[in-house]
Each structure stands twice: as structure tokens, then as C-alpha cells.
Amino acid sequence: MNNEWITRVDPIEPVPGPLHGLTMALKDNIDLAGVPTTAGDPRTTEPAKDNAFVVDQLIAAGAVPLGKTNLDQYATGLVGTRSPYGACHSVFSSEHVSGGSSSGSAVAVATGQVDFALGTDTAGSGRVPAAFNRLVGIKPSRGLVSARGVVPACRSLDCVTVMARSVATARRVFDVMVAFDPDDAWSRRMSSLPHRRAGRVDGSVIGVPDVGLGLDPEYEQAWQATLDEAHRLGDVVKVDVQPLLEAADLLYSGPWLAERWLAFGDKLDDSAAVDPTVRTIVRGGAALTAAAAFAGFDRLATLKRATEEPWTQIDALLLPVTPGHPTLAEVAADPIGVNSRLGRFTNMVNLLDLCAVAFPGPDRADGLPFGIQLLAPAGHDLSVIDLAALWCGEEVPPSAVDTDVLLAVAGAHLSGQPLNDQLVRRGARLAFTARTASSYRMYLVDGPRPGLTRTLSEADGPGIEVEVWSVPAAELGGFAATIDPPLAIGPLELSDGQQVLGFLCTADAADPERDITASGGWRAYLAGD
């Protein structure tokens, strides 16, 4: 028998709203007024005085809470076995783990007891149990969903997540969950993040690892079938995932372990109520120094920089959720080692400020589920949700955002140049390289910066080197506001006659003595300067 529930409550009368009548379960580190929030520690018996912010949002939208679900104690684990209330197993096999730490939430949804459930995801805890129970799990960008009223694991990384049996249901809940909370210091407005929602998700560029992933044999077969499906849905580009995998290793070896100790280390005494594996892991955070913390932050910054370039080429990165699906016996024999391996493809997502959605891939040959996930930079949540819906054969809602705008850049916004990050942070993606029509000349203006001006007559020559970036239309106005005179954004013609937007300078700034057209482009000018 599975041990998904810790506490059940009487249903309330639903109010009208977008979630009217949908039933929900709450991981028991999320406050529900009148019910103790144990976080898997039965010594906590005092009822919560108020609902968590996100629970209030959902109830106000018509959702009905049915109770609190089991979890790895203090949300520390990806297995679903570290609980004094008993271990959970996958609904498809009594021998295999359900995944954690949101173990009970996944089981409650997969067995049809509720329409959706809330979990939390610091290292992958909203995606691993979804994968092991053939569910959809949306992990929002950090801060989009308030964590006020949630027992912290790593406060700087914790995300409230939703699991459901379809993308459509999970998305309905996601739309309600996302709300700025001024009383949560980690809360972020969606409008403050670069956002992208592809106009045509069936034409998306999907990144896949350029190396083998060391999957279990049953998973390797399902992964190869997944890669075949990716080619059907869009263009597939191989990318270097090594920096992401290295970042994943930092979560339990860097300063974030100390953050767990800060959050609940005082609860990890020698009581029999404390899971011994949780105690062993988190007590290690007490010895970390400030110097070690800054070393970890510096290493993460280096790895994050190494991951930035692929996002200019792809819309989403495709990965398995886990390398395999362990049994309860395997976890009992090696509780830390098996758990660590499960986080190989999930631990880095919050560290690198990415959003993610997990959903079912092709089943293993033995019929057990195989979960896959799509990752993208923070703010691109709707893009990966739309792509997951398409992948699962569900209807994709019409885009609420205009199609992207093509913008030609010729100077400091080129790839590898100092201001390129201004494009990347706004969700822009490199579309192609090109040259301007031959009638354009390039001048040095204040900065120094290059500016393009079109002459009245055609000139001989190949034109000026440019990169053409695809910029979300909603981001173009804000980006244009960062451009100082005498430069401005205006219509520009490429050598093939295509019209795009580009960086132009006013005629009065076109000083013949500062004409650098002969260089052929900004990079060539810098190299020869």
C-alpha cells in the first residue's frame, strides 16, 4: 500500500473561477490553515494559522484542497523513502520508488485521487516523481510563484511546482500560481524577466546533448526513441551539456548545503523522528565556511557563463529527467549514492536560473514510465509548456505574444562582444549571419561605436558584416530604450534584399574621417586596429 497522504481534510465549497471544482493535494511543507505543516517531521503538531500565498491564490480560483501529502523529510531527497510516515512507490511498480521529495503528491495525482498537486523543486523534486509516475510536472522560473508559507529547504532556490495528468491542467494551475508577492523577498514579476513564447512551437529549435549520458539500458532505448520524436517536432541541434552537468554537482557540495543547514539544521537532533540520511547529509553544511561559499558562487558563475551561448541557438534543451528508475531495495542499499545519481539532470536547473517542464516520454520496454524534460532560461516558461503540449499531442493555446522581430546588429551586440548579453537576457536568439546591402557605410561614432548609414547610390563591395537576431516583439521597446544617440533602430536592407531592423546612425554623425567601411565589419575593424 502506498503512503501518499499525511493528512486529509473535508472538502470546501469551490468558488467560481478558472479552477472551479478541481481538487488538489499539497505537499506537507506547504501551509494549509488549520493543519500542521510537518515537512515530514511528526514532532510538528501545531496547525498552520494561514494558507501559503499560493494556496490562497488557488482556492480563490476555485480549487479545492483535499489534504497534505508525504515527502522526503524537509524536502531533502529525490527518492520518496526518507519519511517517518513510510516510503512511497511508483504507481506502476511496488518495487520501484515514486521519486521525491514530492513523492506523495505524485502518487495522489497518478492514482486519480486529485486533479493536481503542489510540490516543491529545489533539486528536481517536482520533476523526478512526475517522471516515475507518468505525470506532467511544471517547475516555474525561480520566484514566479511565491514561496511564502512554504517550509524552506534552500530559500534562494526553492520553487513551488505543480503536477497533473495533462499539460493542459498543469498549465491552468500554473497561470493562477504565477503572481507577484511583495511580502516574499525572493518573488519576481514575470514582466521583469526576459520572456519568449514561440509563434510556432512546431518550428522550435531543440537542443540535445552532444555526448552519451550514461543511462541505464532500459532508459537508453527510450531515450533514442525520444530523440527520433524530437526530429519530428523541430530542428535538432547538438549542444555541449558538460557545464550544466558540472553545475549539478555543486548543489550538495557547495554553499547551498549550508543554506539547508541554516533552514532546518536545528531540527536535526538525534531523535528517532529524524531521518538518518537527511541528518547525515545536511549536518555537513554546518562546517562550510564563508570562503567555501564564495568559492562555490564563483564556480557557479563560471559554469553559468559557459552555458549561455547555446541559448542563442536553441529554444529549449531536451534531457531525460533521470538516468534510471531505482528500486526500493537499491535505495535502501545505497541511500545517498542512488539519490545523487537521480539528480544528475535536474540539480542544476535552479542553480542556473532555468525553467523546466517534465512530461512522459516513450515507456521503457518493460512498461515503466520514462520521463523527459525541456529546459529554457528563466521567463521562457510558456515556450517550454507549449512545446510540451505539442509533444504530448495536446492543443497549444494561441500565442498571446506577437511573432519575433528580426534585428541586425553590427557592433558591440555581436556574439562574444561586450553588450551581447543585453540581447540574450531579453530572450533573443541568433537567427543567421548576413551582410548589408552594398550601399551601407560604417562610421565610428561616440563610444566608440559603429553606426550604419545608407548612401544614395549603390556602391561596390560585399556590404557590412551583421548578425540577425530574433527578438521577442514584447522586448524590442525596452531594448531600443537602451540605445543612445546618435544611434537608433530603423529599417535596414540585407544583401539579399530582405528588410530587417538594424542599428543606424544619423547623417550628421557620419564623419568621412571616421569611415571604417573598408574593414568590412566591426570584428575586422577591431582585429586590424
Side-chain angles (χ1 to χ4, degrees):
M1 179 178 179
N2 245 324
N3 298 292
E4 63 271 28
W5 292 99
I6 290 180
T7 304
R8 291 179 181 267
V9 299
D10 294 331
I12 62 174
E13 186 67 26
V15 301
L19 304 180
H20 178 76
L22 291 186
T23 55
M24 65 175 173
L26 310 176
K27 183 176 181 177
D28 197 22
N29 60 344
I30 302 172
D31 285 347
L32 180 64
V35 179
T37 304
T38 71
D41 187 336
R43 295 172 299 178
T44 302
T45 58
E46 184 177 350
K49 295 180 180 179
D50 302 297
N51 293 325
F53 180 89
V54 66
V55 174
D56 274 337
Q57 295 288 115
L58 295 168
I59 292 175
V64 178
L66 295 188
K68 310 291 287 295
T69 57
N70 206 348
L71 70 157
D72 282 317
Q73 194 172 68
Y74 290 106
T76 301
L78 292 173
V79 287
T81 64
R82 300 172 178 175
S83 170
Y85 296 100
C88 293
H89 61 76
S90 167
V91 299
F92 298 100
S93 169
S94 60
E95 296 180 355
H96 289 76
V97 299
S98 66
S101 58
S102 309
S103 53
S105 291
V107 173
V109 176
T111 53
Q113 297 179 72
V114 289
D115 296 306
F116 70 90
L118 298 187
T120 58
D121 189 315
T122 304
S125 296
R127 289 164 284 152
V128 172
F132 289 168
N133 291 280
R134 201 178 288 146
L135 298 175
V136 174
I138 295 176
K139 190 219 74 72
S141 298
R142 277 187 352 224
L144 288 190
V145 179
S146 172
R148 181 159 58 90
V150 178
V151 177
C154 288
R155 192 179 295 276
S156 66
L157 302 179
D158 295 339
C159 294
V160 179
T161 67
V162 57
M163 286 181 279
R165 293 185 292 277
S166 69
V167 179
T169 299
R171 191 219 170 86
R172 287 172 64 189
V173 178
F174 170 86
D175 287 342
V176 171
M177 291 166 62
V178 173
F180 179 71
D181 178 5
D183 293 324
D184 176 1
W186 294 97
S187 184
R188 292 194 284 185
R189 292 179 173 89
M190 175 70 94
S191 60
S192 71
L193 296 174
H195 55 83
R196 175 181 175 82
R197 185 176 180 191
R200 287 186 56 203
V201 292
D202 57 347
S204 296
V205 180
I206 301 170
V208 299
D210 61 353
V211 294
L213 297 175
L215 307 180
D216 288 352
E218 302 92 339
Y219 266 40
E220 185 62 45
Q221 183 178 4
W223 175 239
Q224 292 304 316
T226 298
L227 294 177
D228 292 340
E229 180 70 4
H231 283 279
R232 184 185 71 81
L233 291 173
D235 296 328
V236 174
V237 175
K238 290 187 176 181
V239 300
D240 179 13
V241 297
Q242 190 58 37
L244 285 89
L245 301 183
E246 290 184 30
D249 292 336
L250 290 176
L251 189 61
Y252 284 98
S253 63
W256 298 274
L257 187 58
E259 190 174 15
R260 286 185 188 263
W261 174 254
L262 175 67
F264 56 89
D266 60 328
K267 308 285 179 47
L268 302 181
D269 55 26
D270 293 328
S271 167
V274 177
D275 182 88
T277 303
V278 173
R279 179 192 293 119
T280 298
I281 292 170
V282 178
R283 275 186 172 176
L288 289 170
T289 64
F294 280 104
F297 298 148
D298 185 69
R299 179 58 180 158
L300 178 61
T302 299
L303 292 171
K304 187 172 183 178
R305 179 58 53 83
T307 68
E308 289 175 353
E309 194 277 333
W311 299 119
T312 69
Q313 312 283 339
I314 63 176
D315 296 301
L317 175 64
L318 176 68
L319 287 173
V321 175
T322 65
H325 190 167
T327 64
L328 292 161
E330 289 170 336
V331 172
D334 183 12
I336 294 178
V338 171
N339 188 94
S340 296
R341 185 169 183 255
L342 286 182
R344 178 168 170 76
F345 307 131
T346 59
N347 283 357
M348 72 290 193
V349 172
N350 286 325
L351 287 172
L352 296 174
D353 202 10
L354 307 176
C355 59
V357 56
F359 53 98
D363 282 349
R364 296 174 9 165
D366 60 5
L368 286 181
F370 170 65
I372 55 180
Q373 58 180 334
L374 291 166
L375 316 181
H380 295 212
D381 303 65
L382 294 180
S383 293
V384 290
I385 294 172
D386 284 352
L387 188 52
L390 182 71
W391 199 301
C392 295
E394 298 184 33
E395 181 179 356
V396 178
S399 176
V401 181
D402 293 335
T403 56
D404 289 358
V405 176
L406 293 179
L407 174 69
V409 300
H413 290 91
L414 292 164
S415 299
Q417 294 298 308
L419 300 184
N420 181 249
D421 186 55
Q422 291 183 2
L423 285 171
V424 174
R425 285 188 291 105
R426 293 181 180 274
R429 179 167 58 87
L430 179 62
F432 55 89
T433 58
R435 288 187 174 273
T436 67
S438 59
S439 54
Y440 285 89
R441 305 199 69 81
M442 176 180 276
Y443 298 91
L444 277 180
V445 299
D446 294 340
R449 298 173 290 164
L452 299 175
T453 297
R454 190 165 197 173
T455 60
L456 296 177
S457 59
E458 291 294 324
D460 294 330
I464 307 298
E465 175 199 13
V466 293
E467 289 180 350
V468 180
W469 285 70
S470 181
V471 182
E475 295 291 333
L476 186 62
F479 176 73
T482 68
I483 310 304
D484 293 326
L487 297 185
I489 293 177
L492 182 145
E493 184 177 341
L494 302 179
S495 59
D496 62 0
Q498 183 177 1
Q499 296 283 337
V500 298
L501 294 178
F503 283 78
L504 306 177
C505 68
T506 56
D508 61 313
D511 182 352
E513 295 185 2
R514 308 192 78 186
D515 188 334
I516 58 172
T517 306
S519 66
W522 185 242
R523 286 196 181 96
Y525 168 76
L526 293 177
D529 188 28

